């Protein structure tokens, strides 16, 4: 199977897992990226079985609305039962690196608010140790140079993502050469640097369930 076929397979598995649990007033959190896009497209076939979605990016909002799925602001939503999103890396604790698409901050906010975080990913994302994928860090533009210096002190090699502006009007540093043994601690340390909006480690709030697309079929992983 190609990577796209694996992404489609896990999106289907997530739809089969989530949709039967939805009620007519349910609101679902939706992530960003190519795997999340497959999920959105399949979810659209179940319009009417739930009320709508909260989205983690402008791109996903646009896609949901094209399908006629109502998108709500997070502040007006009382209960978010499920959040469905892809990842750039996952370890066996379902701690993730996210933000390859630059939507990490809104993704982390929606994940934090959700009762169940369902991650969907193809097998290339499954790793022993997080950090081969450069860790995205969203920064306030005026703080970029300062944050770069502080990240170097922590042993990382920050690379400015030229020409990219997040949905929040900020910039991204992609941090290379990290060997992440304690993801929860590093997530905290990075967030304490003044000027960092958030970083792409999802360790304090990992996924609850991962549908991993492999050549042998979709594997279900729990932390
Ligand atoms: C976007 C993300 C994505 O979930 C991550 O980059 C995976 O993307 P894809 O499903 O296209 O492989 O974190 O900010």
């Amino acid at each position: 199977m190609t990577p796209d076929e694996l992404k489609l397979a896990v999106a289907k598995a997530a739809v089969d897992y989530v949709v039967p649990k939805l009620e007519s007033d349910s609101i679902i959190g939706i992530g960003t990226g190519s795997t999340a896009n497959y999920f959105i497209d399949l979810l659209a076939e179940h319009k009417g079985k739930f009320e709508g979605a909260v989205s983690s990016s402008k791109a996903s909002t646009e896609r949901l609305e094209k399908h006629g799925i109502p998108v709500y602001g997070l502040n007006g939503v009382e209960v978010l039962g499920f959040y469905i999103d892809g990842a750039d890396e996952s370890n066996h604790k379902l701690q993730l690196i996210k933000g390859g698409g630059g939507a990490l901050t809104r993704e982390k906010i929606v994940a934090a608010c959700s009762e169940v975080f369902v991650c969907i990913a193809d097998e290339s994302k499954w790793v022993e140790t997080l950090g081969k994928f450069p860790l995205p860090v969203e920064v306030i533009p005026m703080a970029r140079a300062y944050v770069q210096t502080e990240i170097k002190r922590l042993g990382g090699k920050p690379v400015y993502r030229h020409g990219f502006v997040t949905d929040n009007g900020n910039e991204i540093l992609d941090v290379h050469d990290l060997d992440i043994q304690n993801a929860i601690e590093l997530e905290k340390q990075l967030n304490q640097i003044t000027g960092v909006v958030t970083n792409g480690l999802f360790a304090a709030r990992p996924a609850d369930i991962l549908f991993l697309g492999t050549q042998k079929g979709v594997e279900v992983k729990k932390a």
Side-chain angles (χ1 to χ4, degrees):
M1 282 173 112
T2 64
D4 274 335
E5 286 168 338
L6 293 176
K7 289 177 186 189
L8 179 60
V10 293
K12 268 190 192 144
V15 165
D16 292 345
Y17 177 76
V18 169
V19 169
K21 299 178 178 69
L22 299 177
E23 297 184 357
S24 56
D25 61 350
S26 298
I27 301 204
I28 316 170
I30 303 282
T32 301
S34 55
T35 319
N37 282 345
Y38 281 118
F39 180 82
I40 294 171
D41 295 347
L42 292 171
L43 184 69
E45 293 168 19
H46 301 275
K47 248 187 322 183
K49 293 183 190 159
F50 60 99
E51 192 169 326
V54 164
S55 164
S56 65
S57 64
K58 290 179 183 168
S60 290
T61 297
E62 203 176 298
R63 197 172 190 102
L64 286 158
E65 287 180 341
K66 263 194 196 146
H67 281 299
I69 298 174
V71 178
Y72 296 93
L74 183 59
N75 289 326
V77 173
E78 272 177 33
V79 179
L80 205 56
F82 293 96
Y83 176 57
I84 297 89
D85 199 1
D88 298 302
E89 280 186 355
S90 173
N91 66 15
H92 69 281
K93 293 180 181 169
L94 307 194
Q95 296 172 327
L96 313 173
I97 286 186
K98 290 186 46 55
L104 59 157
T105 299
R106 294 187 187 197
E107 291 173 339
K108 199 176 269 198
I109 293 167
V110 184
C113 297
S114 65
E115 288 171 353
V116 181
F117 178 1
V118 179
C119 188
I120 47 179
D122 67 86
E123 61 192 350
S124 69
K125 314 290 181 67
W126 185 247
V127 298
E128 187 75 34
T129 307
L130 296 172
K132 199 165 179 201
F133 188 92
L135 177 66
V137 178
E138 180 164 353
V139 297
I140 300 288
M142 71 172 286
R144 188 193 344 124
Y146 170 73
V147 173
Q148 277 176 314
T149 304
E150 293 302 302
I151 286 175
K152 282 181 200 159
R153 280 190 219 276
L154 294 175
K157 188 175 163 225
V159 176
Y160 172 43
R161 202 183 287 185
H162 278 279
F164 185 87
V165 178
T166 70
D167 284 355
N168 312 307
N170 297 315
E171 296 174 352
I172 297 278
L173 296 172
D174 292 303
V175 186
H176 295 246
D177 295 349
L178 288 172
D179 177 36
I180 304 173
Q181 297 300 334
N182 187 339
I184 292 180
E185 188 52 33
L186 183 63
E187 182 178 2
K188 261 193 230 158
Q189 281 181 316
L190 288 169
N191 282 345
Q192 276 166 4
I193 301 172
T194 304
V196 167
V197 178
T198 195
N199 70 82
L201 274 171
F202 284 52
R205 200 286 179 246
D208 297 299
I209 182 163
L210 167 66
F211 291 104
L212 188 72
T214 77
Q215 296 300 335
K216 291 185 197 146
V218 176
E219 288 180 16
V220 184
K221 309 267 191 196
K222 287 188 182 169

